[in-house]
Amino acid sequence: MERLYSCHRTHIGDDVRDHWKDDAFFGYQFLNGINPVMIQRCRTLPSNFPVMDSMVFEDHGFSLEKEMKKGNIFLCDYKILDGVKANTISGEQQYLMAPLVSCRQTDASRHPDVQDGRDERQGGEMKFLQLKQAAKDSLIFTPSDSEYDWLLAKMYVRSAEFHLHEVKAHLLAEVFSVALLRSLPMVHPLYKLLVPHTRYTLQINVLARNLLMSKTGTINRFAACGGKGMLTILERSLSSLTYRSLCIHDDIGDRGLEDVPNFYYRDDGLKLWDIIHRFVKNMLSYYYHEDARVQQDLELKNWILDIFKHGFLSKKASGGGSRCFSFRIFPKLPGIPEKFTTVEDLVKFVTMVILTCSAQHSAVNTGQYDYAGWMPNAPSSLAKPPPTRQGTVSEAQLLETFPDMKTTVHSMATVWLLSTQSTDKDLLGDYPEDHFTEDGPRQAIKHFQQELQSFSMEVRERNQSLEVPYTYLDPKLVENSVST
């Protein structure tokens, strides 16, 4: 593994290699790794996660119930992977778990003013996890277990992360791109605004189908889920999707993460949303002076209806109950809208489209090699089942559970390729094709570029003081579209 990784090293990748075993870094990745959209504040543990106070607290002055009331308990639930049939690689059965993971944040660490001198890799004081959704079939692991029991349990979680992090961005970008090309003429202002954010999307997704998801593709040959399993994951991702989860202000609020310290994905994502929202509002307000103009635009109606019908199968409520919101309860969550009635409705939706195709994709794509290049931190597959009894895992068994050399080589090569920027990249805010001729929109584009430039400087200044810099939402690295 050392020899393989040494062929292509990165600064963050070196940090991952050095700290992948650390509990603090394990927790940090839920916030700022390649899948920062799973973690949520937890007010009630799921019924299939029977954790007792005695399992996780040595001090009887603490209890899970009290800690949840304080807002100190967080949950990641990978139930979307439950029942996905694991692949067979080189004639050997592989294993993919659907774990539940929880961690506790100390009261002191909730306040940014006490962070001076603390390692920003800290991701919660206490952690416990269960590797299967059915409690009767699974053990609950904690850091008090033996070294290799606990390390192996965390590896199954990291393998689950490997399978989920990039599904949504590519899926949605294609939906938006096809609807744009099919429903709006090239002279329409929304076409002019959005077409730069569709660049190469169809090409890259066709390549993904042929090179990753086909019978001879990398996923089918070297990932625990296999090609059929990935289709199941895609289907479940769509069925559990909500409009609010695509709008980062709503999503962060719904997950109860507004005050979590050292959450750079949130901080940068919210600022980028606001910058893009102001830009979109300035652009569209030039053409839509009042709500009636939105309602009367037949081509606009065709565009959103195409997305609603063909992208989301006319679901009026996406994900009502499929996603586990333990912090707040939403009995019926709104799906993608099927029409626009106000300018603000249109502005919000277009902001979401641009963010999804650019910044959100960058957040889950650009760091793939950083976090998965050192294979033990994100195995594409695991070759042994989880233990059925505590205290039974040895170092030899841990090594036997790792994927074989061929699988490791292919997974490392794949994440390196997918996280490499295009040689002819267009960054967020770059519009080399001059679609707009009016002064108003041209000034709005110029102001947008200035805001992105200022924000990039803020990000880079902050990152100078971080042990692990968070760069994935720096506008100088974010591409306009899903092109890798």
Side-chain angles (χ1 to χ4, degrees), residues 62-88:
F62 289 98
S63 75
L64 279 171
E65 184 177 357
K66 289 179 181 178
E67 291 301 293
M68 284 189 286
K69 285 182 179 179
K70 291 180 179 179
N72 288 341
I73 303 296
F74 296 83
L75 176 72
C76 291
D77 189 346
Y78 297 86
K79 63 182 175 182
I80 197 171
L81 298 175
D82 190 30
V84 174
K85 187 176 180 181
N87 199 9
T88 299

Side-chain angles (χ1 to χ4, degrees), residues 12 15-16 19-39 76 78 120-123 127 154 158 161 262-263 265 367 370-372 374 376-378 468 470:
I12 295 177
D15 202 77
V16 171
H19 295 283
W20 71 279
K21 295 180 182 180
D22 299 350
D23 288 352
F25 191 62
F26 176 70
Y28 170 86
Q29 292 181 79
F30 293 126
L31 297 175
N32 300 309
I34 53 177
N35 189 23
V37 299
M38 292 291 295
I39 191 168
C76 291
Y78 297 86
E120 75 276 357
R121 281 187 298 250
Q122 296 298 321
K127 300 172 183 67
K154 290 190 292 183
R158 298 302 309 155
E161 285 272 283
N262 304 323
F263 192 5
Y265 162 79
D370 285 342
Y371 285 93
W374 178 250
N377 189 60
V468 184
Y470 186 77

Side-chain angles (χ1 to χ4, degrees), residues 208-389:
R209 287 178 173 87
N210 293 335
L211 301 179
L212 296 181
M213 297 182 64
S214 66
K215 288 184 179 180
T216 58
T218 301
I219 289 176
N220 203 49
R221 295 171 61 201
F222 301 112
C225 65
K228 290 183 179 179
M230 181 54 70
L231 290 176
T232 300
I233 294 169
L234 285 167
E235 182 180 353
R236 292 179 180 178
S237 295
L238 180 60
S239 67
S240 64
L241 191 65
T242 69
Y243 184 29
R244 291 180 66 88
S245 72
L246 301 176
C247 302
I248 190 167
H249 279 277
D250 296 333
D251 182 54
I252 293 298
D254 291 347
R255 291 195 281 144
L257 304 178
E258 300 95 330
D259 63 347
V260 176
N262 304 323
F263 192 5
Y264 308 117
Y265 162 79
R266 173 203 59 205
D267 298 342
D268 294 353
L270 292 176
K271 289 180 180 177
L272 267 182
W273 172 280
D274 292 341
I275 291 171
I276 295 170
H277 187 273
R278 285 192 292 271
F279 167 61
V280 172
K281 186 173 184 179
N282 288 338
M283 294 291 284
L284 294 182
S285 295
Y286 183 88
Y287 299 97
Y288 298 97
H289 305 299
E290 55 189 5
D291 295 341
R293 291 205 173 192
V294 171
Q295 299 163 15
Q296 294 163 6
D297 188 333
L298 295 179
E299 292 161 338
L300 188 60
K301 284 183 180 180
N302 290 336
W303 177 66
I304 189 59
L305 194 59
D306 195 0
I307 293 171
F308 178 74
K309 279 186 175 181
H310 301 292
F312 296 89
L313 308 179
S314 300
K315 291 185 177 182
K316 292 184 180 294
S318 301
S322 295
R323 183 171 179 176
C324 175
F325 284 100
S326 298
F327 178 63
R328 299 173 187 171
I329 303 300
F330 295 93
K332 190 173 184 181
L333 294 167
I336 295 295
E338 57 183 309
K339 62 180 180 179
F340 301 120
T341 57
T342 67
V343 176
E344 183 51 40
D345 289 343
L346 175 61
V347 169
K348 181 176 181 178
F349 189 85
V350 173
T351 301
M352 179 275 293
V353 170
I354 293 176
L355 189 89
T356 300
C357 294
S358 58
Q360 184 61 36
H361 175 254
S362 181
V364 299
N365 175 81
T366 310
Q368 284 184 92
Y369 190 81
D370 285 342
Y371 285 93
W374 178 250
M375 180 275 290
N377 189 60
S380 65
S381 189
L382 292 171
K384 298 291 181 184
T388 56
R389 291 184 297 114

Side-chain angles (χ1 to χ4, degrees), residues 376-434:
N377 189 60
S380 65
S381 189
L382 292 171
K384 298 291 181 184
T388 56
R389 291 184 297 114
Q390 250 110 353
T392 60
V393 180
S394 65
E395 183 180 34
Q397 288 171 300
L398 185 79
L399 294 173
E400 289 173 0
T401 305
F402 282 139
D404 61 26
M405 179 72 76
K406 187 175 181 181
T407 300
T408 299
V409 169
H410 278 82
S411 64
M412 289 177 66
T414 299
V415 296
W416 175 80
L417 179 64
L418 293 177
S419 57
T420 301
Q421 281 192 320
S422 306
T423 54
D424 62 340
K425 59 185 178 293
D426 285 342
L427 297 178
L428 182 62
D430 289 347
Y431 299 107
E433 296 179 356
D434 200 359

